[in-house]
Amino acid sequence: MIITSCPLCSATSLRLVVDLGYHPLGDTFLPAEALNEPETRYPLRVFQCADCGHAFQQYVVPETERYQKIDYSYTAGNSPVSVKHFAEMAAEIVADQGVTADDLVVDIGGNDGTLLKAFRDQTSCRVLNVEPAGNIAKISQESGIDTHHGFFDATAAEKTSSLGGAKIITGTNVFNHINDLPTFIADIKNALTPDGAFVFEAPSLYELVKRLAFDTMYLEHVSFFGMKPLVRFFETLGLHVHRIEPSDYMGGSFRVYVKRQPGDPKVAQDFIALENEIGLYEEKTYEAFRAKVRKFRADLMRDLYEIKSKGGMIVGIGAATKGNTLLNYCGIDNGLLECVTDASPLKIGKFTPGSHLPIIPDADIPKDATHGVILAWNIGDFLKEKLKHLNLEFIVPHME
């Protein structure tokens, strides 16, 4: 579906942020049998509203295609980095919002329930996971987390309300995946208690531009949020930003607290001032951004070809979705990389979309490997420490 108007303000004056070519779904890792079938690619073009400043995908793939056609391959509980991050996030929200054992916490797209387990362990509160991926919802339910299999919609909101309403509704790397943002927020308002908070964590457009993190743009990410358009959007729906916490998780995110009650406007104003300092809502910023992205590709490809020409063997480290954007934009396949390694049992044995590189366990990295491209660069330090015994020369495409 082609988007011709801003999802937040409906304006039709749009300008290009970046065109990364045609990509398959980045978060859909392929079983071996899928390699014998056609693979659909979609335009990965991001535009910005010239009116409010919101950035978004020009082409939106249906949610059912993204999350329910092929088994989802990521579980947060498999990553020590994610487990630690979510425990800290739960503790912050509990302290800030006064969550008690009587309260209900709902996590939208809660995956295997890792965040909700942290809430429950810390407060003994009631929890509900709303998870659209069938295989992941089953894992969550079997681990003892009450789980609603489906998308967060009017039905899920009604279920939440029937439980007394949610004190907290969270969404980590979820809000930016939503097609219809006004309806989504309306459903959240219906599900929250009067003093409840919607707390979402999503990649920040500010950090994306600052870090040249173009590889965090993939088809599953429908929106790329700046604070300026978000404040305007929430206020039109009777909600207000109360707190903004920057985070390095996912390579540059922010955690935003939204409530019905007015908050201190300076919280958002200070963040918007940072955005304005780097020209986040100016066209010339993205002209420079596109030039840097093209240079990044040329420099990386030169380095990889030089390694291969000298007899080196290169592997990819971390089967991250962002890595698939990088691989497909640069045209990297098994002519340059032998394989990609990962620790997730749901990814091992599958293949990367588009580039069709086999995903193997870290323990099976070939002995002849000389270099490792860390595709999950947001946890680059963790991966380098984990694999230091292999004496690989690491390439960390951290963009700036």
Side-chain angles (χ1 to χ4, degrees), residues 292-309:
K292 290 177 181 178
V293 169
R294 290 190 293 268
K295 183 179 185 301
F296 169 88
R297 176 170 61 181
D299 290 347
L300 177 62
M301 295 302 286
R302 179 199 62 223
D303 293 345
L304 295 182
Y305 276 117
E306 183 176 346
I307 292 167
K308 291 292 286 186
S309 71

Side-chain angles (χ1 to χ4, degrees), residues 53-375:
H54 180 55
F56 56 92
Q57 292 280 359
Q58 181 195 41
Y59 190 93
V60 176
V61 181
E63 292 168 323
T64 52
E65 188 82 8
R66 285 183 269 154
Y67 305 112
Q68 295 181 332
K69 185 175 180 180
I70 293 179
D71 278 354
Y72 200 59
S73 301
Y74 171 76
T75 51
N78 188 66
S79 165
V81 174
S82 295
V83 172
K84 180 175 183 290
H85 173 79
F86 287 136
E88 292 171 349
M89 177 178 176
E92 178 190 288
I93 296 171
V94 167
D96 189 84
Q97 296 297 308
V99 180
T100 70
D102 294 329
D103 293 320
L104 172 67
V105 176
V106 175
D107 193 15
I108 300 172
N111 197 257
D112 61 0
T114 296
L115 175 58
L116 291 175
K117 287 174 188 173
F119 274 108
R120 192 173 62 185
D121 289 347
Q122 293 174 27
T123 68
S124 299
C125 65
R126 297 172 296 135
V127 297
L128 175 64
N129 182 6
V130 181
E131 172 54 52
N135 64 315
I136 304 299
K138 183 179 179 183
I139 292 171
S140 173
Q141 187 68 50
E142 289 176 350
S143 72
I145 298 293
D146 187 15
T147 304
H148 173 84
H149 175 216
F151 295 100
F152 189 83
D153 53 16
T155 300
E158 288 170 9
K159 178 172 182 176
T160 303
S161 296
S162 73
L163 296 171
K167 170 79 170 182
I168 302 292
I169 296 179
T170 55
T172 57
N173 198 28
V174 166
F175 191 42
N176 50 315
H177 292 229
I178 302 302
N179 293 358
D180 184 349
L181 290 166
T183 299
F184 180 76
I185 291 299
D187 288 334
I188 282 179
K189 284 185 70 176
N190 290 336
L192 281 172
T193 59
D195 65 340
F198 172 44
V199 183
F200 69 89
E201 199 168 71
S204 157
L205 182 63
Y206 169 75
E207 291 292 345
L208 189 157
V209 171
K210 260 190 22 172
R211 301 183 187 206
L212 198 67
F214 70 89
D215 57 348
T216 61
M217 293 174 162
Y218 38 90
L219 292 159
E220 289 82 353
H221 284 183
V222 177
S223 290
F224 305 91
F225 292 119
M227 189 50 57
K228 177 184 167 183
L230 272 179
V231 167
R232 174 176 162 181
F233 170 67
F234 283 130
E235 288 182 350
T236 63
L237 298 173
L239 294 171
H240 306 274
V241 172
H242 278 243
R243 180 172 177 174
I244 305 166
E245 293 294 334
S247 170
D248 278 336
Y249 191 62
M250 300 296 293
S253 302
F254 50 22
R255 185 179 305 145
V256 183
Y257 292 64
V258 181
K259 304 186 74 170
R260 288 185 175 88
Q261 296 76 19
D264 181 357
K266 195 172 183 298
V267 170
Q269 289 167 0
D270 288 349
F271 198 93
I272 294 169
L274 294 175
E275 295 177 335
N276 290 334
E277 283 179 10
I278 66 166
L280 197 67
Y281 305 107
E282 298 175 17
E283 190 167 9
K284 64 182 181 181
T285 298
Y286 298 101
E287 293 171 356
F289 181 83
R290 293 192 292 274
K292 290 177 181 178
V293 169
R294 290 190 293 268
K295 183 179 185 301
F296 169 88
R297 176 170 61 181
D299 290 347
L300 177 62
M301 295 302 286
R302 179 199 62 223
D303 293 345
L304 295 182
Y305 276 117
E306 183 176 346
I307 292 167
K308 291 292 286 186
S309 71
K310 294 179 179 178
M313 178 187 289
I314 312 169
V315 298
I317 308 295
T321 307
K322 63 173 62 68
N324 292 326
T325 293
L326 186 147
L327 293 172
N328 287 305
Y329 173 67
C330 294
I332 298 171
D333 57 18
N334 60 11
L336 283 172
L337 266 61
E338 293 295 314
C339 58
V340 174
T341 75
D342 204 85
S344 170
L346 295 183
K347 293 180 181 178
I348 292 168
K350 294 183 179 179
F351 294 79
T352 56
S355 53
H356 298 170
L357 295 165
I359 302 172
I360 66 171
D362 295 335
D364 290 350
I365 291 176
K367 290 183 172 54
D368 294 334
T370 58
H371 293 74
V373 179
I374 297 186
L375 301 173

Side-chain angles (χ1 to χ4, degrees), residues 36-68:
N36 297 319
E37 300 294 334
E39 186 174 22
T40 304
R41 291 178 181 250
Y42 308 88
L44 207 173
R45 298 189 196 107
V46 177
F47 280 77
Q48 186 177 53
C49 174
D51 186 355
C52 77
H54 180 55
F56 56 92
Q57 292 280 359
Q58 181 195 41
Y59 190 93
V60 176
V61 181
E63 292 168 323
T64 52
E65 188 82 8
R66 285 183 269 154
Y67 305 112
Q68 295 181 332

